[in-house]
Amino acid sequence: MLFIRQEHIMRCFLVLFWLISLLPISDQGKYNLVGSEEPIKAQVGSDVVLPCLVKPPVNASSATVEWMFDSSKTVHLFRNEADERDSQDDRYKDRTYLNHAMLELGDVSLKLSNVTKNDEGIYSCFVHRLPDHNKPEERHVTLVVVDGKENENPEGHSGGPETGVIVGVVVVVAAIIILAFITYYVVCRHRVSLFWNNKSPHEQVINDGDHRGNGNQEMKMKKDLYRTSDNQTKTCESS
């Protein structure tokens, strides 16, 4: 009797193990999506990449990748190894790009072109049907769109610290050049003044006489020239 009970108990355990083996093995925690913890910033009119990676890396080419905005609008859908543009929201038409080659490395990041102020918000990345992984993964990325004017100096100055340094250097160099020119001019005037002040009165008289002599000689040459001209004129009249 005891032997029969032990045999029944063993059969029950075998049946229990068999039923447990039929249950689907949970794959929770096998893969997860990672991205930027901080908001992604982009200027109006620029291009931006919304990061999302499968960790550990796995080939996601056969998976379904869906990006959504505000959990309601389809930004981009990749399914059956192709992009499905028909389900895409009109405001994102021809503005999204999913690199198919990078999917093989588990990179499901999305590029958004020509960013507008209306693109600001929370984007969700969903990845379904990863290899040996039935649980869908989800990752949120926040996009902050800034206008170019917000990055300008609040006082209205467009130049940064480097511009201020350059302007300061130019002003200092110009001031040094002007000061050097003024100093040179003053020194030259002072030397000329000393030169004339150190000359003796006799030298000054000689120089003055030389100037007067040169002037008298020049007047004499002019008179002789006039006389020669008159003599030639009289000779011609006599002939």
Side-chain angles (χ1 to χ4, degrees), residues 9-23:
I9 292 174
M10 290 297 297
R11 288 180 179 179
C12 290
F13 274 112
L14 290 175
V15 171
L16 181 61
F17 282 122
W18 179 72
L19 292 175
I20 292 175
S21 65
L22 294 178
L23 295 176

Side-chain angles (χ1 to χ4, degrees), residues 39 46 87 155:
S46 65
S87 59
E155 297 181 358

Side-chain angles (χ1 to χ4, degrees), residues 87-201:
S87 59
Q88 190 176 38
D89 190 87
D90 291 338
R91 58 186 283 188
Y92 295 103
K93 292 289 186 182
D94 302 324
R95 296 177 53 215
T96 59
Y97 173 71
L98 188 68
N99 193 330
H100 295 180
M102 296 303 294
L103 291 176
E104 299 179 0
L105 304 177
D107 189 347
V108 294
S109 303
L110 183 70
K111 179 181 179 181
L112 181 61
S113 303
N114 194 19
V115 174
T116 66
K117 194 66 177 179
N118 294 330
D119 294 332
E120 186 174 80
I122 299 176
Y123 291 80
S124 301
C125 176
F126 299 92
V127 179
H128 308 268
R129 296 169 50 195
L130 286 170
D132 300 325
H133 187 75
N134 296 323
K135 177 180 176 292
E137 295 295 335
E138 179 180 357
R139 181 73 185 184
H140 299 288
V141 180
T142 301
L143 176 63
V144 177
V145 180
V146 296
D147 195 348
K149 296 181 180 179
E150 296 180 7
N151 297 329
E152 294 181 356
N153 193 310
E155 297 181 358
H157 301 289
S158 58
E162 295 81 3
T163 305
V165 172
I166 294 175
V167 172
V169 171
V170 172
V171 171
V172 171
V173 172
I176 293 174
I177 294 175
I178 294 174
L179 182 61
F181 178 78
I182 294 175
T183 303
Y184 176 78
Y185 178 76
V186 172
V187 169
C188 289
R189 287 288 302 272
H190 182 67
R191 288 183 177 180
V192 171
S193 178
L194 290 177
F195 174 77
W196 286 106
N197 291 335
N198 291 334
K199 276 192 172 185
S200 62

